[in-house]
Amino acid sequence: MACAPACGTKRVFAAPPPAADTAATLGSPADAAAITMPPPEPSAVQHDAVQRPPLARAVIAFVFLMVTEFFYSWAWNSVDVLRPFMRDTLKLTLTQAGSGYSAQGAGALVGAVVIGQLADRVGRRTMLALVMIGYGTTLIAGSFVDGYSTYLAQRVVLGLFMGGIFPIVVGIYVGLFSPTVRGRLASLINAIFSSGITVLGLASGWANGDWRALLLAGGLPPILLAGLAFVLIPKSADVRAQGPQKPARLPVLELFAPDLRTRTILLASLTGLNFFGYQAYSGWLSTYLRDVRGLDPTAMGKLVAWQFGANIVGGFVWGWAGDRFGRRFNAIGFLAAAAAILLYLNVETDAMMLGSIGVVYGFMLSASVIWGPWLTELYPAHLKSTAASIFNWGRLVSFFAPLVTGSLAAQFGLGVTMGTAAVAFTIAALIWLSLPETHPHPLLRGRRR
């Protein structure tokens, strides 16, 4: 595949320098005094250009992050993959078993905000090691739960630690490599997360549903590997931007400074619409295929698998596209996903047709893979992990999405309910296109930083 100049050079995404930069161009004492004022803090893009480690060191660190992501995926998805086995052993109702995800998501929302800020203040390597020990220990503790109350408590604490993984991992790898490849790095992280689900699913079959053993198997490795964060990840991952002294306040409050407030609210809305759309469509897909389309479990499984596989492949394509054409370019994926949803709900019940459209939906949905790097590029360098945590703020919407969509399904049917996902993704795409671009030469021209 041919690569544009941006892929083969060392150019970084940065705003152009001021037109006048020396006293020789100044025409008044006031202008001359202005030149002595501290320059504004650089964005994460500009700062990382001088902080990136040698390539070999960066690759080793990224491999470690992928290992971390694999076990994070194992821990996070255990609430879904192992649900039927835990439900039988703990004698939970369907509602109780499903509420484990809500409890985990609640913990993750708090963890994303709190741990993301601590990572920016205390250090990303330190917090990564602590979080790995935390979620590994809590996952192992899950093998000792004996009832509904302990199950919920364990999932809340587990979510608290796991909510910090995304902002920490993104905050580290965006400082390891040039912005021209960050989308593809996000694609690799996405693929590792998906592979964790696949391996856990296979392992549940090999272990004959022994969920306690699988929690132990997933919790021990991150505890043993946590100390390597200080060895394999360079110290530059913890270096803050060298700018003017920041006021003593919480990093998350800086995201709501007057010049950033609107941007932060729009980004939080964007991620919330993404979670709502996913719950409204994908959350009801298997039920829709069985109850409305009348398909048997084998056919249902194949359709879901095709969609899941397309999402992995799409992550690599959209990661490349975000690097090549700009972060806002990927909004096209959400528009196409919305169209695929409407088509899916209106075609005849033909497995090949449904499968083909499902592949398109899964492929297009992965356009959001670029959000991790993009979030860090939209804010000052010292807020990288805090900014990346905005992705998980959208989980607040996912708490209420099942209640809203369940009520709509009871009143209007699954077809109408799933159709609201198309509306959510369309609005999300429009918000996406309204936000600033960080690519130096985007295909879709729009507002800059």
Side-chain angles (χ1 to χ4, degrees):
M1 181 181 298
C3 188
C7 298
T9 68
K10 294 184 178 179
R11 179 188 302 173
V12 298
F13 299 2
D21 199 25
T22 64
T25 63
L26 301 176
S28 69
D31 290 334
I35 197 66
T36 65
M37 295 177 63
E41 181 182 350
S43 70
V45 172
Q46 296 165 299
H47 177 255
D48 290 338
V50 297
Q51 293 293 337
R52 285 196 292 272
L55 180 60
R57 184 73 188 277
V59 170
I60 292 172
F62 188 75
V63 170
F64 178 74
L65 293 179
M66 289 195 293
V67 173
T68 301
E69 184 74 12
F70 177 86
F71 288 106
Y72 157 70
S73 175
W74 184 294
W76 179 270
N77 292 291
S78 63
V79 72
D80 292 326
V81 176
L82 304 181
R83 181 180 301 172
F85 311 116
M86 291 188 288
R87 175 173 172 262
D88 291 342
T89 303
L90 302 176
K91 296 179 171 47
L92 304 177
T93 66
L94 287 172
T95 301
Q96 288 175 331
S99 64
Y101 179 87
S102 295
Q104 183 172 290
L109 176 61
V110 176
V113 176
V114 175
I115 295 176
Q117 294 182 81
L118 288 174
D120 282 333
R121 286 294 177 93
V122 177
R124 298 181 184 97
R125 297 189 304 168
T126 299
M127 291 310 302
L128 178 60
L130 291 176
V131 166
M132 291 175 68
I133 294 172
Y135 80 72
T137 302
T138 311
L139 191 64
I140 291 175
S143 64
F144 297 98
V145 302
D146 56 2
Y148 180 54
S149 59
T150 53
Y151 171 63
L152 283 185
Q154 182 262 344
R155 285 292 155 178
V156 169
V157 177
L158 182 63
L160 180 66
F161 285 110
M162 292 194 298
I165 288 291
F166 183 84
I168 292 174
V169 168
V170 173
I172 291 174
Y173 78 68
V174 296
L176 298 176
F177 298 91
S178 165
T180 58
V181 298
R182 287 176 185 167
R184 279 158 280 191
L185 296 175
S187 301
L188 285 171
I189 293 293
N190 178 69
I192 291 297
F193 182 86
S194 299
S195 70
I197 305 174
T198 303
V199 174
L200 179 58
L202 294 173
S204 67
W206 299 334
N208 196 28
D210 188 348
W211 58 274
R212 297 184 191 276
L214 292 171
L215 294 184
L216 287 169
L220 187 58
I223 296 175
L224 297 177
L225 296 171
L228 292 177
F230 298 100
V231 178
L232 301 180
I233 297 177
K235 292 182 180 179
S236 60
D238 292 334
V239 176
R240 290 180 46 141
Q242 301 301 316
Q245 184 66 36
K246 308 302 293 186
R249 58 176 177 172
L250 293 175
V252 70
L253 297 181
E254 296 186 51
L255 300 185
F256 290 94
D259 57 331
L260 296 175
R261 185 182 303 130
T262 300
R263 177 181 304 179
T264 300
I265 293 173
L266 287 175
L267 286 168
S269 301
L270 173 61
T271 62
L273 287 166
N274 170 62
F275 280 111
F276 179 88
Y278 183 85
Q279 287 287 334
Y281 179 78
S282 298
W284 290 104
L285 181 59
S286 58
T287 304
Y288 172 79
L289 292 174
R290 184 190 65 183
D291 295 352
V292 178
R293 296 291 187 167
L295 299 179
D296 60 76
T298 301
M300 290 165 49
K302 289 181 179 179
L303 292 178
V304 174
W306 291 355
Q307 182 173 298
F308 181 75
N311 187 265
I312 297 176
V313 175
F316 287 102
V317 176
W318 286 111
W320 170 85
D323 286 338
R324 177 64 181 86
F325 302 118
R327 308 325 195 192
R328 294 167 59 257
F329 175 83
N330 286 22
I332 295 173
F334 269 26
L335 293 174
I341 289 171
L342 296 178
L343 186 60
Y344 197 95
L345 298 174
N346 288 283
V347 298
E348 297 181 359
T349 305
D350 177 81
M352 184 60 67
M353 178 66 72
L354 291 173
S356 300
I357 301 173
V359 164
V360 173
Y361 165 78
F363 181 94
M364 296 300 176
L365 189 63
S366 61
S368 61
V369 72
I370 200 65
W371 285 358
W374 185 46
L375 286 170
T376 69
E377 294 165 358
L378 287 171
Y379 292 89
H382 73 283
L383 295 175
K384 285 191 292 188
S385 290
T386 305
S389 74
I390 294 174
F391 175 80
N392 277 317
W393 296 6
R395 293 194 185 280
L396 180 63
V397 176
S398 69
F399 301 157
F400 303 102
L403 299 176
V404 173
T405 57
S407 177
L408 288 174
Q411 188 169 0
F412 301 105
L414 281 174
V416 173
T417 300
M418 295 170 70
T420 62
V423 177
F425 285 126
T426 299
I427 297 174
L430 296 177
I431 293 176
W432 195 343
L433 290 170
S434 73
L435 287 161
E437 178 60 74
T438 58
H439 193 284
H441 304 293
L443 184 65
L444 298 180
R445 300 293 178 181
R447 185 160 62 94
R448 301 294 297 177
R449 288 181 52 83

